[in-house]
């Protein structure tokens, strides 16, 4: 049912944890399954995602998709990283069962929420 890549990221999730010096944090949840994902971004002065970590309280696919999402945006510019879609995450994982696609949507939303928080903080700092 799950691709080898999904299983591999589920068993060895990358970038798990928190970033105490994160400058963008996004938390999203899915009301139906009750899963929660939190994404931490550390964006440097050059606008590069220098570090990213996640915490997911959720299903195996949620863990695998958040892990892959962190891998896909790490080292990228803000502009590039913001283009991350759940489709790109699913493709990078060699697919997900249809019933689990919403888990990848959660990963995309968590990344977007973290960028939104980063931008909000930046605007507030300029006030
Ligand atoms: Fe809801 Fe996976 S079952 S995020």
């Amino acid at each position: 049912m799950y691709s080898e890549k999904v299983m591999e990221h589920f068993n060895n999730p990358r970038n798990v944890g928190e970033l105490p010096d994160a400058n963008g944090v996004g938390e999203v949840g899915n009301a139906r399954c009750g899963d929660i994902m939190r994404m931490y971004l550390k964006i440097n002065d050059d606008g590069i995602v220098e570090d990213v970590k996640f915490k997911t309280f959720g299903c195996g696919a949620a863990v695998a998709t958040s892990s892959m999402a962190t891998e896909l945006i790490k080292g990228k510019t803000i502009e590039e990283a913001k283009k991350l879609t759940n489709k790109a995450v699913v493709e990078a994982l060699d697919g997900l069962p249809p019933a689990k696609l919403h888990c990848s949507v959660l990963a995309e939303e968590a990344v977007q929420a973290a960028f939104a928080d980063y931008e909000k903080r930046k605007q507030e700092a300029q006030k």
Side-chain angles (χ1 to χ4, degrees), residues 69-102:
T70 62
E71 289 271 281
L72 291 175
I73 63 169
K74 201 170 181 175
K76 296 266 170 74
T77 63
I78 298 173
E79 285 70 32
E80 283 172 330
K82 273 171 81 177
K83 286 188 199 142
L84 180 84
T85 60
N86 79 301
K87 205 166 156 252
V89 174
V90 173
E91 272 167 20
L93 286 169
D94 292 336
L96 272 180
K100 289 287 171 183
L101 284 176
H102 79 270

Side-chain angles (χ1 to χ4, degrees), residues 35-102:
D35 291 357
I36 296 167
M37 239 180 237
R38 195 179 298 149
M39 215 32 96
Y40 299 85
L41 300 175
K42 189 178 168 203
I43 298 167
N44 69 19
D45 293 340
D46 298 326
I48 306 281
V49 181
E50 199 174 281
D51 208 357
V52 46
K53 291 222 185 298
F54 79 91
K55 272 201 152 176
T56 289
F57 179 81
C59 73
V63 172
T65 53
S66 21
S67 167
M68 183 52 93
T70 62
E71 289 271 281
L72 291 175
I73 63 169
K74 201 170 181 175
K76 296 266 170 74
T77 63
I78 298 173
E79 285 70 32
E80 283 172 330
K82 273 171 81 177
K83 286 188 199 142
L84 180 84
T85 60
N86 79 301
K87 205 166 156 252
V89 174
V90 173
E91 272 167 20
L93 286 169
D94 292 336
L96 272 180
K100 289 287 171 183
L101 284 176
H102 79 270

